[in-house]
Amino acid sequence: MFWAGELGHGGRFTGSDLFAVVALCGASGVAWQLLHRRDVVDRLTHFASAFTVVTAFLVVAAWDSSLSSAMGAGTGLGAVLVGLVYTEQLLRDRDRRQASTRATAHSLGRAS
């Protein structure tokens, strides 16, 4: 949430600020899923793709400069999420291909 960057004192979060961000963001995620139920990996695939592109630009732009620790931690957590989403999509694609191959082999076996 973009408003979360405005919290804190002198650029630092207090415990209560962090709790407010976590509680509101968590509640938003719960409401989103309850109001429009959908597979989480499918929902996050577009986010993962956009995150990858934006992060690549940020890495190139900030190659020789220092980044804030908050950005580094957020980028690291986002990268974990992206890794999970991409891996699940690849595994699902592999499972679909294997199922298709088995179905084709099974139907060819019946035709003989």
Side-chain angles (χ1 to χ4, degrees):
M1 300 283 195
F2 297 106
W3 53 265
E6 302 299 318
L7 293 174
H9 306 284
R12 297 183 181 269
F13 279 110
T14 64
S16 60
D17 293 334
L18 186 57
F19 176 78
V21 170
V22 170
L24 289 172
C25 291
S28 297
V30 168
W32 188 16
Q33 187 67 4
L34 288 174
L35 294 172
H36 186 69
R37 189 169 183 188
R38 192 169 147 198
D39 179 74
V40 176
V41 171
D42 288 340
R43 181 184 302 267
L44 294 177
T45 298
H46 295 299
F47 165 79
S49 299
F51 183 86
T52 301
V53 170
V54 169
T55 301
F57 283 121
L58 288 174
V59 166
V60 169
W63 190 256
D64 286 328
S65 65
S66 62
L67 299 172
S68 72
S69 62
M71 182 178 172
T75 304
L77 291 173
V80 169
L81 178 65
V82 166
L84 289 169
V85 170
Y86 284 168
T87 301
E88 182 60 26
Q89 290 291 15
L90 289 171
L91 292 173
R92 288 178 182 186
D93 186 53
R94 182 195 66 187
D95 292 345
R96 279 191 293 270
R97 284 194 315 263
Q98 287 176 347
S100 175
T101 301
R102 282 192 300 269
T104 303
H106 182 65
S107 67
L108 291 176
R110 284 183 152 180
S112 299

